[in-house]
Amino acid sequence: MSPSKRAQLAVFLTVFVDLLGFGILIPILPLYAKAVTEHPSHWMTWVNHSLSLETPGAFWAGIAFVSFSLMQFIASPLLGRLSDLVGRRPVLWVSLMGSAVGYLILATTGRFEWVLAARILDGITGGNISVAQAAMADTSRPEERSKALGMIGAAFGLGFVLGPFLGGVLSHSELGQQLLASRGLHLPFLVAAGLSFLASVLVITWLPETLNPQAKQHAKLEERRGHALVRALRRKGMPQVLGISLFTMTGFAMMEGTYSLMAAQRFALSDGQVGYLFGFIGILIVIYQGGLVRLVARRIPERLALSAGLLLMTVSLPILAHAPWMWPFVLLMVPLAWGSGMSNTATSALASQLTPADEQGGLFGVINAIQGVGRILGPAVGTFVFARGGYATSYWVAGGTVAVGLALAVALPVSEPKDA
């Protein structure tokens, strides 16, 4: 196996193991955070009364999620830029160890303050995806970026499918129940901590440094002022690319935040049935990112793939709200998920081609931070519109949001690749 292929495989396995641990948290954390706030501290009681909260547990569970997203938004560009200066390998290792410590705190605490501390720590160190994407870009030629970055998407999809399932199995297992009753330990979080630690071991033992010494030295010697976001915005074409990322993720997150509500209202689906649908979406992501992206990357230029993916999303979202019966409703997830895959990989590949090698880490940190804003805005706007105007209105708004990204993609200027 060539060194570049070995590095790509190591990055894939690292991201998959780490995302598997993150996926374990998805179905468990809201209920866990809500449970630990049933015996609030004095300051939490004051907040509950001051805000007249009827269901404070849901509020504090939301705080646990928002704190993670906010810290990730702040830290992702910084971690990415740090990896440009000292290398991908050490930053990736430190970030994975931070996630392991965060999960370990969750597994052993019964107080919300420590839950919040764990989520903040994991948010700060959880920007490692930008470092992994930069490592993939390091080991691939510009024309192969979509294919290489698709491996990151495939790892995401696998973690999205297997993680929640594993979390449910562990929490309801005999060992999980016994550890919780006798020692107050949460087995799913312990396993998540172990998986992040395992990923850190993979980084140390198998992942070579992918950033070449010349790029690292150039990043250290050249004085750069300002945040990575500021530098990205100064580069020709990058404001449009970042705008595409923001509007696309916001529209897609509107769907994610309201999908369960719409499925239950339209077809009376249970939580378990909606979980199967999300698993189906994860499988679609794996199919595209793990295989179809290679065919698309070989046959379709990134700019065309970007516009085609956004068009599929723009059309699929409003139609989804009007699907007359169950099977069209399910099958519409195919163009929606694959359109999202096409747009995401093409956006990352185009951005990478517009950015010098010694700024790749900072670039992917910025993209992940911008997408983090979309993950916050999407559910907030989607659920508000859903409550005021119904599910159909929220999906028309989601489609219109993605359409803004499509307009930016069509108007994207042609720039020369900057790979040095």
Side-chain angles (χ1 to χ4, degrees):
M1 183 182 295
S2 66
S4 63
K5 295 298 182 184
R6 177 187 170 187
Q8 290 179 3
L9 180 59
V11 172
F12 171 82
L13 291 175
T14 300
V15 173
F16 168 64
V17 172
D18 186 41
L19 264 293
L20 188 62
F22 179 77
I24 289 174
L25 263 69
I26 293 175
I28 299 173
L29 183 62
L31 297 176
Y32 172 64
K34 184 177 180 180
V36 298
T37 58
E38 290 179 356
H39 303 286
S41 302
H42 293 300
W43 71 274
M44 295 173 65
T45 302
W46 178 83
V47 171
N48 294 342
H49 289 307
S50 299
L51 299 179
S52 301
L53 299 176
E54 295 184 7
T55 55
F59 170 79
W60 294 111
I63 293 295
F65 271 100
V66 171
S67 62
F68 173 86
S69 299
L70 179 61
M71 290 299 104
Q72 194 172 53
F73 167 71
I74 295 171
S76 284
L78 301 178
L79 280 179
R81 184 57 187 155
L82 182 63
S83 76
D84 290 331
L85 297 171
V86 303
R88 317 299 186 206
R89 193 165 174 254
V91 176
L92 196 56
W93 181 81
V94 170
S95 66
L96 289 168
M97 288 300 295
S99 294
V101 173
Y103 294 144
L104 190 60
I105 293 173
L106 285 178
T108 56
T109 189
R111 295 187 61 84
F112 182 77
E113 289 86 349
W114 282 109
V115 172
L116 188 60
R119 299 307 291 152
I120 290 173
L121 173 62
D122 198 16
I124 292 173
T125 61
N128 53 49
I129 299 303
S130 61
V131 183
Q133 288 173 317
M136 281 294 191
D138 293 339
T139 59
S140 59
R141 295 190 297 271
E143 64 273 14
E144 294 181 344
R145 293 280 163 81
S146 289
K147 182 173 68 174
L149 293 169
M151 294 178 67
I152 300 289
F156 258 93
L158 284 171
F160 188 79
V161 172
L162 298 177
F165 172 76
L166 181 58
V169 170
L170 292 171
S171 63
H172 291 94
S173 67
E174 183 177 349
L175 177 60
Q177 296 291 333
Q178 182 179 352
L179 282 175
L180 184 60
S182 62
R183 300 180 180 274
L185 299 177
H186 297 266
L187 180 60
F189 299 141
L190 286 174
V191 172
L195 287 170
S196 289
F197 179 74
L198 175 60
S200 72
V201 173
L202 284 175
V203 168
I204 292 298
T205 59
W206 207 24
L207 179 65
E209 178 54 62
T210 61
L211 184 65
N212 68 68
Q214 292 80 10
K216 187 188 301 185
Q217 191 65 23
H218 187 266
K220 289 180 179 179
L221 292 177
E222 184 174 345
E223 182 180 7
R224 303 189 184 277
R225 300 185 182 275
H227 194 274
L229 175 60
V230 176
R231 292 196 298 276
L233 291 174
R234 290 173 180 166
R235 194 170 300 283
K236 182 181 179 181
M238 283 303 296
Q240 291 93 324
V241 171
L242 296 179
I244 292 167
S245 293
L246 176 61
F247 285 107
T248 304
M249 181 53 69
T250 300
F252 192 79
M254 286 186 195
M255 181 277 297
E256 288 183 318
T258 58
Y259 189 75
S260 299
L261 299 173
M262 181 178 68
Q265 183 173 332
R266 295 200 63 199
F267 303 106
L269 298 183
S270 66
D271 293 346
Q273 290 170 320
V274 173
Y276 290 137
L277 285 177
F278 272 104
F280 175 63
I281 296 172
I283 291 171
L284 291 174
I285 293 172
V286 173
I287 291 173
Y288 180 81
Q289 304 282 26
L292 292 180
V293 66
R294 300 172 184 272
L295 298 176
V296 172
R298 281 202 300 263
R299 299 174 183 272
I300 304 177
E302 274 86 3
R303 288 170 58 90
L304 180 57
L306 173 60
S307 297
L310 293 174
L311 180 61
L312 284 174
M313 294 179 67
T314 300
V315 173
S316 299
L317 281 165
I319 294 178
L320 188 66
H322 298 280
W325 47 286
M326 186 65 189
W327 277 112
F329 180 77
V330 173
L331 292 177
L332 275 168
M333 296 310 299
V334 177
L336 181 57
W338 289 358
S340 175
M342 289 178 69
S343 64
N344 285 337
T345 52
T347 300
S348 297
L350 283 170
S352 179
Q353 292 172 20
L354 293 171
T355 306
D358 61 332
E359 293 190 35
Q360 294 287 314
L363 162 71
F364 286 112
V366 168
I367 290 178
N368 278 278
I370 292 295
Q371 291 178 340
V373 174
R375 292 188 187 97
I376 296 172
L377 291 177
V381 174
T383 52
F384 176 77
V385 174
F386 191 111
R388 293 294 300 271
Y391 61 81
T393 305
S394 65
Y395 277 72
W396 278 100
V397 172
T401 303
V402 177
V404 177
L406 175 59
L408 290 174
V410 172
L412 189 66
V414 178
S415 300
E416 292 297 322
K418 298 183 182 297
D419 200 47

